[in-house]
Amino acid sequence: MDQDSHCTAERELLEAVSRITTFSTTNPTDEEQNQPKAEISCQVRKENPEKDDLQDASASLSPNSSMTTKELQEYWRNEKRQCRQVKLLFEIPSTRIVEHRLSKYVMYKIIILQTGTFDSNKSVIERRYSDFEKLHRNLLAEFSEEMEDVTFPKKTLTGNFTEEIINERKLAFKDYLRLLYSMKYIRRSKKFIDFLTRPELQEAYGCLRGGQYTKALEILLEVIGLQERLTRGNPVSVVPTLCAIVVCHKDLENPASAFEYGEKALSRLRMYTSHRYYIPLLETMITLAYELGKDFLSLQEKLEEWKAKKDPIRVFTLKELAVREYVQ
């Protein structure tokens, strides 16, 4: 292929990537000020998307990309795969009554499965009535039109703990989640995703901050699959969780597993080199690669290339970033 044809191919691929990229503006952090922002999404969002829903996906996309034609082709294929909707099925097979000295409530066991294939990585979570109620209020505030015909099971003055009422609510909450998931703006909203993942992530990061790496890792590995399926159109959003898994494996002296998850995180940051996790992750990966006898020079070159282009700024370590997540 001659030079003109090669340039044309790269230009066409860049245009294709641009077509699946929606540019948005967020409040930049001190480390990311004056950088152009971009978010990969399958469809254009509403005119005023929630700011928190964009922050993790925001980063710079250089128009003068140094990626080769082959790398651009692979990136485009990956983004198309990420944009395919994963259909999820919600089941509520059982409940349990929790009694404390001053309170009593029902916990609903929710099983989340991927349809259309055998899903060996089903996700299991528990939520109580007040959790559903809070979700409903939050969604009504943001999606009043979409929620217009969505009914929510009301509380009763008596009989909330009878078998009949509990079974009715099991079916009602199952239909409720199915209906919410069927609406594209709601299933992609931060409020819906947080309802399904945030309690577990908060617990995991709490364990991480307390040095309970085994327990933190156990929870993170359970939630990452669900988080990835819920945020398929926004792969950058799972980077913090992947990096927390890297930190846990590294502190548990499992460098091979840490490197494996670090590679997954780096692949999602290929076009987002201004992301706050990019440099700390690169530095950790260089250390792990050297320890494992893997190629660390290519990672070192990326680090030096980034430092040559950017002004010196304060960069936290990967562990320092991880312990700051989900701090109340």
Side-chain angles (χ1 to χ4, degrees):
M1 179 183 295
D2 58 31
Q3 185 175 1
D4 290 342
S5 300
H6 181 77
C7 291
T8 300
E10 287 199 8
R11 187 162 54 251
E12 289 176 351
L13 284 165
L14 279 169
E15 291 172 355
V17 172
S18 297
R19 283 197 296 272
I20 61 170
T21 305
T22 302
F23 286 88
S24 306
T25 302
T26 63
N27 292 330
T29 64
D30 291 338
E31 298 174 7
E32 297 173 343
Q33 283 184 350
N34 301 321
Q35 296 295 327
K37 303 294 181 179
E39 180 192 11
I40 299 297
S41 66
C42 297
Q43 299 183 33
V44 177
R45 289 171 177 259
K46 289 187 171 182
E47 291 183 0
N48 297 309
E50 183 176 84
K51 292 180 182 178
D52 290 343
D53 201 21
L54 299 173
Q55 285 178 346
D56 281 340
S58 63
S60 67
L61 181 62
S62 171
N64 298 316
S65 174
S66 60
M67 297 174 70
T68 65
T69 300
K70 183 177 180 180
E71 287 174 331
L72 282 167
Q73 289 173 335
E74 180 62 25
Y75 174 79
W76 189 41
R77 282 194 294 268
N78 287 337
E79 291 304 326
K80 287 177 67 178
R81 284 195 293 268
Q82 292 290 348
C83 286
R84 294 173 187 161
Q85 181 190 345
V86 175
K87 295 183 179 179
L88 300 181
L89 177 69
F90 298 87
E91 296 289 346
I92 304 181
S94 62
T95 61
R96 63 186 179 94
I97 297 176
V98 179
E99 293 190 64
H100 296 298
R101 186 166 56 181
L102 299 177
S103 64
K104 181 180 179 180
Y105 53 87
V106 179
M107 294 294 289
Y108 296 86
K109 181 179 181 180
I110 306 169
I111 298 178
I112 307 165
L113 300 163
Q114 181 175 334
T115 62
T117 181
F118 174 73
D119 189 359
S120 60
N121 297 316
K122 65 183 180 182
S123 300
V124 181
I125 60 176
E126 283 189 317
R127 298 292 183 267
R128 54 189 291 188
Y129 182 95
S130 59
D131 296 324
F132 282 97
E133 193 174 38
K134 181 180 178 181
L135 170 67
H136 192 69
R137 287 198 307 269
N138 289 338
L139 292 177
L140 279 174
E142 185 176 358
F143 303 100
S144 56
E145 292 183 8
E146 290 87 342
M147 297 289 292
E148 187 176 7
D149 297 323
V150 178
T151 58
F152 187 81
K154 302 295 183 182
K155 272 187 176 180
T156 58
L157 295 177
T158 60
N160 286 302
F161 300 100
T162 64
E163 184 177 355
E164 180 182 3
I165 293 296
I166 290 174
N167 286 333
E168 285 180 2
R169 286 183 177 169
K170 278 168 55 179
L171 295 174
F173 284 141
K174 173 185 172 181
D175 290 339
Y176 178 74
L177 290 173
R178 177 189 57 78
L179 183 56
L180 292 182
Y181 185 76
S182 71
M183 294 182 277
K184 62 181 179 180
Y185 288 124
I186 290 180
R187 70 168 171 263
R188 294 178 185 173
S189 71
K190 187 176 185 298
K191 291 179 173 63
F192 182 68
I193 294 171
D194 277 354
F195 169 78
L196 296 171
T197 62
R198 189 178 180 88
E200 287 72 25
L201 287 171
Q202 286 178 319
E203 181 183 1
Y205 279 99
C207 291
L208 192 157
R209 284 188 288 273
Q212 302 176 48
Y213 301 115
T214 300
K215 179 63 175 178
L217 182 61
E218 178 185 339
I219 300 171
L220 290 168
L221 291 175
E222 287 180 357
V223 76
I224 185 63
L226 175 59
Q227 195 179 17
E228 287 180 321
R229 284 176 282 184
L230 288 168
T231 60
R232 181 61 67 95
N234 181 12
V236 180
S237 63
V238 300
V239 166
T241 306
L242 290 171
C243 288
I245 293 174
V246 171
V247 169
C248 290
H249 274 306
K250 189 173 183 294
D251 280 16
L252 290 170
E253 299 183 356
N254 300 324
S257 296
F259 191 84
E260 175 188 349
Y261 280 92
E263 285 187 314
K264 292 180 181 180
L266 270 182
S267 70
R268 287 160 172 77
L269 294 179
R270 183 180 299 175
M271 298 289 285
Y272 299 90
T273 57
S274 288
H275 194 283
R276 68 188 188 280
Y277 270 89
Y278 181 70
I279 293 305
L281 178 59
L282 261 185
E283 292 174 337
T284 300
M285 291 294 284
I286 290 169
T287 302
L288 290 169
Y290 183 80
E291 181 180 350
L292 294 167
K294 294 180 178 290
D295 172 30
F296 65 90
L297 293 178
S298 60
L299 296 170
Q300 186 70 46
E301 288 175 359
K302 290 181 180 179
L303 180 61
E304 297 301 325
E305 180 183 352
W306 188 92
K307 288 182 177 180
K309 291 180 179 179
K310 307 291 181 181
D311 293 330
I313 57 174
R314 181 187 177 192
V315 177
F316 294 107
T317 67
L318 197 66
K319 188 172 183 178
E320 286 172 339
L321 277 180
V323 299
R324 282 168 168 77
E325 294 285 345
Y326 292 95
V327 175
Q328 297 294 332

